Amino acid sequence: MNTTTDTTGTEPTMLTDDPAHVTDAEAIQAEDSARAKLGGALGRMGNLGLVGAIVLVALVGAVTAPDNFLTGDNLLTILRQAAVIGVVTVGMTFVIIGGGIDLSVGALVALASVWATTGATQEFGVLGMVGVALLVGTLAGLVNGVLIAYGRVVSFIATLAMLVSARGLAANISNKRVQLVEVQGFTEISQGDFLGLPNLVWVVAIVFVVGWVLLNRTTFGRHTFAIGGNVEAARLAGINIRRHTMMLYGLSGLCTGIGAILIAARTTTGSSTHGELYELDAIAAVIIGGTLLTGGKGTIVGSALGVFIFTLLQNVFALNNLSTDLQNIAKGLIIVAAVLLQMRSARDRA
């Protein structure tokens, strides 16, 4: 009999050479592998459905607002609007696939934007502002991760507490005032362009590509799927559950730091009101993209399509002078429909 210490930091686990024990672990891993393959196939089918939904919304926009919708400027506007929430959604995708939830992302965008645009920070120039935004977002995310992984606080409660605290701290730092960006080079992040596309679009595209590679081509991604799909199997496989969970929330925090840079550059301000309801938009986009709220299944591509659907929908509503109330009703109906489809798919696979 061999005794090993569980890398998660919990009580030592006795690993034996009992054939039944080994068989059970192998059976769990085989089941997870089969589920992952099935999930990948269903994910591709779901992405095709999302593309179809985008085409449908685009057709509605082309019919109802032909003079304004089918223009290059409007397409660039849609892409710019999707940039910040798109970056935040990448981090949210990892957290939810890993079996968690992060309600603090919008507040962390506000906190990072305010801290990066204080007079003291702006004295260090563009690099100083960018570095502070990334550092603040990442550290706040790691605090969430430590509370959840090591403090055993439920993710909903821990991130809800961070949401309230971060908003309060952002308001306190800024004295409830909007801070203006006075560093000219910083605004070029939003106002500049490369090969005809705004820099904002290139940044979010790079984040999505890096996120896809990290999720699908690295051990980190495989561990994320494993933890979200079956924590016990992941533990038996030797994955450090606590450390990985902490890193997931740190990654989400890093994405909020990037989002803070983009929104501060686009609006030329830092404000405690930035990022309001971003947590709901990000969660909605992830769900629409096919990621299971229970974890273990999801795609970066699906989340990107989810972001684009909501942004496109908002654009069509705005061009037709429809109220935000109707937009929110439409969002709610789409989310409910997506969850019902997930439940139906789960029942069909059972």
Side-chain angles (χ1 to χ4, degrees), residues 252-301:
S252 180
L254 173 62
C255 288
T256 65
I258 298 173
I261 294 169
L262 298 185
I263 197 170
R266 192 182 72 189
T267 63
T268 67
T269 63
S271 172
S272 60
T273 62
H274 280 333
E276 287 187 340
L277 298 181
Y278 273 20
E279 57 277 358
L280 300 184
D281 286 344
I283 293 171
V286 171
I287 295 171
I288 294 300
T291 297
L292 292 180
L293 275 174
T294 53
K297 174 183 174 293
T299 66
I300 293 294
V301 173

Side-chain angles (χ1 to χ4, degrees), residues 3-15 235:
T3 302
T4 62
T5 302
D6 181 11
T7 55
T8 64
T10 56
E11 295 180 0
T13 302
M14 302 295 290
L15 298 182
R235 186 186 66 80

Side-chain angles (χ1 to χ4, degrees), residues 103-281:
L103 300 180
S104 67
V105 290
L108 294 188
V109 168
L111 178 61
S113 76
V114 166
W115 217 317
T117 55
T118 61
T121 303
Q122 291 193 53
E123 291 181 359
F124 293 95
V126 176
L127 292 180
M129 295 173 69
V130 169
V132 167
L134 296 179
L135 184 62
V136 169
T138 303
L139 288 178
L142 288 174
V143 170
N144 281 334
V146 169
L147 289 174
I148 294 165
Y150 295 94
R152 299 183 182 277
V153 180
V154 177
S155 60
F156 181 91
I157 299 300
T159 57
L160 180 61
M162 179 60 76
L163 182 159
V164 177
S165 301
R167 284 281 178 203
L169 183 57
N172 183 268
I173 292 173
S174 63
N175 291 319
K176 298 182 180 180
R177 298 176 180 176
V178 175
Q179 299 176 163
L180 298 180
V181 174
E182 299 178 353
V183 179
Q184 184 63 34
F186 187 80
T187 59
E188 284 299 313
I189 297 174
S190 172
Q191 298 173 0
D193 64 83
F194 180 70
L195 298 178
L197 290 176
N199 290 337
L200 286 177
V201 177
W202 287 108
V203 172
V204 71
I206 291 171
V207 171
F208 270 113
V209 170
V210 172
W212 184 91
V213 172
L214 186 62
L215 185 63
N216 296 282
R217 294 291 184 268
T218 68
T219 301
F220 184 87
R222 290 192 294 273
H223 287 180
T224 300
F225 280 111
I227 292 172
N230 191 319
V231 175
E232 181 61 18
R235 186 186 66 80
L236 291 174
I239 298 174
N240 190 322
I241 309 296
R242 292 182 179 178
R243 184 178 64 189
H244 192 88
T245 299
M246 182 185 68
M247 292 173 64
L248 285 175
Y249 285 92
L251 176 61
S252 180
L254 173 62
C255 288
T256 65
I258 298 173
I261 294 169
L262 298 185
I263 197 170
R266 192 182 72 189
T267 63
T268 67
T269 63
S271 172
S272 60
T273 62
H274 280 333
E276 287 187 340
L277 298 181
Y278 273 20
E279 57 277 358
L280 300 184
D281 286 344

